[in-house]
Amino acid sequence: MADEWTLGLLQMRCTADPTRNLERAESGIREAARAGAAVVCLPELFLSEYFCQRVDARLFDLAEPIPGPTTDRLSRMAGELGVVIVASLFERRAPGLYHNTVAVLDADGSLAGIYRKMHIPDDPLYYEKYYFTPGDLGFRCFDTSHGRIGTLICWDQWFPEAARLTALRGAEVLVYPTAIGWHPAEKAEHGRAQYDAWQTIQRGHAIANGVYVAAINRVGHEGPPEGGLEFWGGSFVADPFGVVLDKASHETEQLLVVKCNRRRIEDVRRNWPFLRDRRIDAFADLTRRAIDR
Amino acid sequence: MADEWTLGLLQMRCTADPTRNLERAESGIREAARAGAAVVCLPELFLSEYFCQRVDARLFDLAEPIPGPTTDRLSRMAGELGVVIVASLFERRAPGLYHNTVAVLDADGSLAGIYRKMHIPDDPLYYEKYYFTPGDLGFRCFDTSHGRIGTLICWDQWFPEAARLTALRGAEVLVYPTAIGWHPAEKAEHGRAQYDAWQTIQRGHAIANGVYVAAINRVGHEGPPEGGLEFWGGSFVADPFGVVLDKASHETEQLLVVKCNRRRIEDVRRNWPFLRDRRIDAFADLTRRAIDR
């Protein structure tokens, strides 16, 4: 495998029409491939609006099995273009059993595997615990034609343990499909610090683990005009020392095409050898909720 | 206990004369107390130059027991001023057994306890594995008259597990005495990214855990003029959402006095409830060195 590979991040505005969203994603994937991307990453749940803003049992109709119609279609495209596609979908596993899932489609058109979101939020306008059963596949890394890709999803971003466990499996890049935005009423006061915290903690994962990090967000306002969520875009790629290599707009759709290099991972880890020194003999309590006095 | 408390960070230039360094630290502690600091934090191994730049058995003479002459003296000062002092010392535990240790001296003049550096670096000009046995007390938090203080030391900064385990014990602030700097030959090319990574990963710990983080570094060049280390100062305090509240110079000694508030911890954790959602059922592999394919 060559040292260099290229990530394509497709920051999208998503509508209420799944067919239209899929067509636009496909168009973006083709554009990314033309621009040289070997691994193309889509935002979280890109087939629909971010429906978790409300609690409504009818919305389970948006879910589909994996493999299923969307992964079949994206698999064909991955094989045709010779790219890896990281696609976030609403997975219907069984009646009454749904997950927030990433499918990794390899460049030969096969399904490399799936990751089911492990950390599920539940906060005002992010009512995900209603829709998604927490993942039961653990943390995962996929050995694809274009490198070892670790997959995590949105809320997982805030948990260093998730990044670490994925990196320990050999990931060269942690890919985070995301749907995060501002509550319009909070944006003026807290918006800047919120975006900054979101980017900072993920740059921290890159540094702690010596891996690339790619966060792919949606953009644009969804929901009632007086409320809803303004998705903050700002998709980015950080290198293994936390340097932001490129970052997308906060207002518009954008394709980021970013070159990565395996020698950079080797170089950073050799000079900042954190993996050498972890005190694994003293980490058992990480499986506790809190350590009471 | 009041909601608000004040941290004092004493960014120092350290010389080869321990008596002089201790006197200057005491003078700085008095100044911090006058400025309102309730918890005063000193840089790593402030009693001497950063001797780990070279390997020399005679330098073990710099170590002292804890409790010992320096903690006795600082304890009296803590009691006199009514402040907590976080002091980093070279601990002689037994002949041939030394640690890089923090002593926490409570405001009543008692020794609240010690923490022995768990993660020990060993890299060009940071030959710490020669001098320091890795800590055997685990990660610690001390319930002092001025709040619950978690102690970590320098290289620990790069390990999210260390921050997490200390925070899970109830720490309100993670205090990192530090001695980190630039290799002068690397500074022009890599200096900015190195400082940025160092600050970023610690801001990440603040965000992940909803705690204050205080990093206290030394400043100034030590070692041969054509080499050595230029300690980069830049001590700072981040709040529980990773916002840098204040940051010291990269060139000069400086006292930072920073107000903190327990309501801010409550507020941040209530709105970003990461501790609620950790997948502790899936974290057992954090005690592994790597997860081989």
Side-chain angles (χ1 to χ4, degrees):
Chain A
M1 194 170 288
D3 284 334
E4 192 173 273
W5 84 100
T6 302
L7 294 176
L9 278 62
L10 210 57
Q11 176 169 300
M12 292 176 63
R13 191 179 294 270
C14 303
T15 71
D17 178 356
T19 304
R20 170 105 178 105
N21 293 327
L22 181 55
E23 287 167 358
R24 298 190 65 246
E26 288 174 327
S27 159
I29 293 166
R30 285 187 191 281
E31 185 187 346
R34 278 194 304 272
V39 179
V40 185
C41 310
L42 299 167
E44 186 181 15
L45 301 169
F46 70 97
L47 279 184
S48 63
E49 290 190 317
Y50 181 68
F51 53 87
C52 312
Q53 287 198 43
R54 60 188 198 281
V55 169
D56 183 344
R58 290 171 302 184
L59 294 171
F60 288 107
D61 286 343
L62 291 168
E64 62 176 298
I66 301 177
T70 303
T71 55
D72 286 352
R73 194 156 147 178
L74 291 175
S75 286
R76 281 193 298 274
M77 173 164 266
E80 175 201 332
L81 299 174
V83 300
V84 171
I85 300 175
V86 180
S88 160
L89 298 166
F90 185 13
E91 180 192 5
R92 182 179 188 275
R93 186 175 179 184
L97 181 55
Y98 304 85
H99 294 282
N100 187 329
T101 300
V102 157
V104 178
L105 309 164
D106 207 345
D108 62 0
S110 66
L111 176 63
I114 64 170
Y115 163 74
R116 294 186 175 125
K117 188 173 184 174
M118 291 286 282
H119 294 97
I120 308 293
D122 205 71
D123 298 297
L125 302 193
Y126 297 87
Y127 300 111
E128 295 199 16
K129 289 196 201 295
Y130 175 73
Y131 292 104
F132 309 126
T133 293
D136 59 347
L137 298 174
F139 299 97
R140 306 207 67 188
C141 172
F142 302 97
D143 211 348
T144 75
S145 321
H146 296 306
R148 295 187 59 79
I149 298 172
T151 45
L152 292 159
I153 304 174
C154 204
W155 193 237
D156 289 324
Q157 281 153 344
W158 304 96
F159 300 86
E161 294 94 339
R164 178 71 92 200
L165 286 165
T166 306
L168 289 181
R169 291 185 176 276
E172 295 165 325
V173 57
L174 307 181
V175 177
Y176 289 92
T178 302
I180 192 168
W182 293 299
H183 295 272
E186 287 181 2
K187 185 183 174 189
E189 185 177 354
H190 300 295
R192 193 192 178 102
Q194 289 173 355
Y195 178 83
D196 192 38
W198 178 78
Q199 190 188 68
T200 297
I201 198 166
Q202 293 178 82
R203 291 176 59 211
H205 302 330
I207 299 162
N209 296 291
V211 293
Y212 287 88
V213 165
I216 311 92
N217 195 15
R218 63 174 67 197
V219 72
H221 182 271
E222 297 179 19
E226 70 283 6
L229 290 171
E230 182 186 337
F231 293 95
W232 67 41
S235 303
F236 70 94
V237 176
D239 87 353
F241 207 50
V243 177
V244 175
L245 299 178
D246 203 358
K247 178 192 162 221
S249 155
H250 292 292
E251 287 87 28
T252 61
E253 296 194 307
Q254 194 172 334
L255 168 65
L256 291 185
V257 178
V258 180
K259 282 191 165 47
C260 305
N261 198 309
R262 295 182 171 87
R263 283 184 313 206
R264 175 71 174 152
I265 295 174
E266 177 70 29
D267 184 55
V268 167
R269 290 190 182 184
R270 199 176 282 199
N271 285 286
W272 299 86
F274 309 138
L275 295 183
R276 181 190 66 187
D277 289 337
R278 295 172 63 239
R279 286 296 303 272
I280 55 174
D281 60 305
F283 288 172
D285 281 348
L286 289 166
T287 59
R288 294 174 67 176
R289 185 64 67 201
I291 305 171
D292 300 314
R293 306 174 203 184
Chain B
M1 194 172 288
D3 284 334
E4 192 173 275
W5 85 99
T6 301
L7 294 175
L9 278 63
L10 211 58
Q11 176 168 299
M12 293 176 62
R13 191 179 294 271
C14 303
T15 71
D17 178 356
T19 304
R20 170 105 178 105
N21 293 328
L22 181 55
E23 287 168 357
R24 297 189 66 246
E26 288 175 326
S27 160
I29 292 165
R30 285 186 190 283
E31 185 188 346
R34 278 194 304 272
V39 178
V40 186
C41 311
L42 300 167
E44 186 182 15
L45 302 168
F46 70 98
L47 279 183
S48 62
E49 290 189 320
Y50 181 68
F51 53 86
C52 312
Q53 287 199 42
R54 60 189 200 279
V55 170
D56 183 344
R58 289 171 301 183
L59 293 171
F60 287 107
D61 286 343
L62 291 168
E64 61 175 297
I66 300 177
T70 302
T71 55
D72 286 352
R73 195 157 147 178
L74 291 175
S75 286
R76 281 194 299 275
M77 172 164 266
E80 176 201 332
L81 299 174
V83 299
V84 171
I85 300 175
V86 180
S88 159
L89 298 165
F90 185 11
E91 181 193 4
R92 182 178 189 274
R93 186 174 180 184
L97 181 55
Y98 304 85
H99 295 282
N100 187 329
T101 300
V102 157
V104 178
L105 309 164
D106 207 345
D108 63 359
S110 66
L111 176 64
I114 65 172
Y115 164 74
R116 293 183 176 128
K117 187 173 183 173
M118 291 287 282
H119 294 97
I120 308 292
D122 204 71
D123 298 297
L125 302 193
Y126 296 88
Y127 299 112
E128 295 200 16
K129 290 196 201 294
Y130 175 73
Y131 291 104
F132 308 126
T133 293
D136 59 347
L137 298 174
F139 299 97
R140 305 207 68 188
C141 172
F142 301 97
D143 211 348
T144 75
S145 321
H146 296 307
R148 294 187 61 78
I149 298 172
T151 46
L152 292 159
I153 304 174
C154 203
W155 193 239
D156 288 324
Q157 279 152 345
W158 304 97
F159 299 85
E161 295 94 339
R164 179 70 93 200
L165 286 165
T166 307
L168 290 181
R169 292 184 175 277
E172 296 165 325
V173 56
L174 307 180
V175 176
Y176 288 92
T178 302
I180 192 169
W182 292 298
H183 295 271
E186 288 182 2
K187 186 183 173 189
E189 185 177 355
H190 300 295
R192 193 191 179 103
Q194 289 173 355
Y195 178 83
D196 192 38
W198 177 79
Q199 189 188 68
T200 297
I201 199 166
Q202 293 179 83
R203 291 176 60 210
H205 302 331
I207 298 162
N209 296 291
V211 294
Y212 288 88
V213 165
I216 311 93
N217 195 15
R218 62 174 67 197
V219 72
H221 183 270
E222 297 178 19
E226 71 283 4
L229 290 170
E230 181 185 337
F231 293 95
W232 66 42
S235 303
F236 70 94
V237 176
D239 86 352
F241 207 51
V243 177
V244 176
L245 300 178
D246 204 359
K247 177 192 163 220
S249 154
H250 291 293
E251 287 88 29
T252 60
E253 296 192 307
Q254 193 171 335
L255 168 65
L256 291 186
V257 178
V258 180
K259 282 192 165 47
C260 304
N261 199 309
R262 296 182 172 86
R263 283 183 314 207
R264 175 73 173 152
I265 295 174
E266 177 69 28
D267 185 56
V268 167
R269 289 190 183 183
R270 199 175 284 197
N271 284 286
W272 300 84
F274 310 137
L275 295 182
R276 181 189 67 188
D277 289 337
R278 295 172 64 240
R279 287 296 303 272
I280 55 175
D281 60 306
F283 288 173
D285 280 349
L286 289 167
T287 59
R288 294 175 67 177
R289 185 64 66 202
I291 304 171
D292 300 315
R293 306 174 205 187

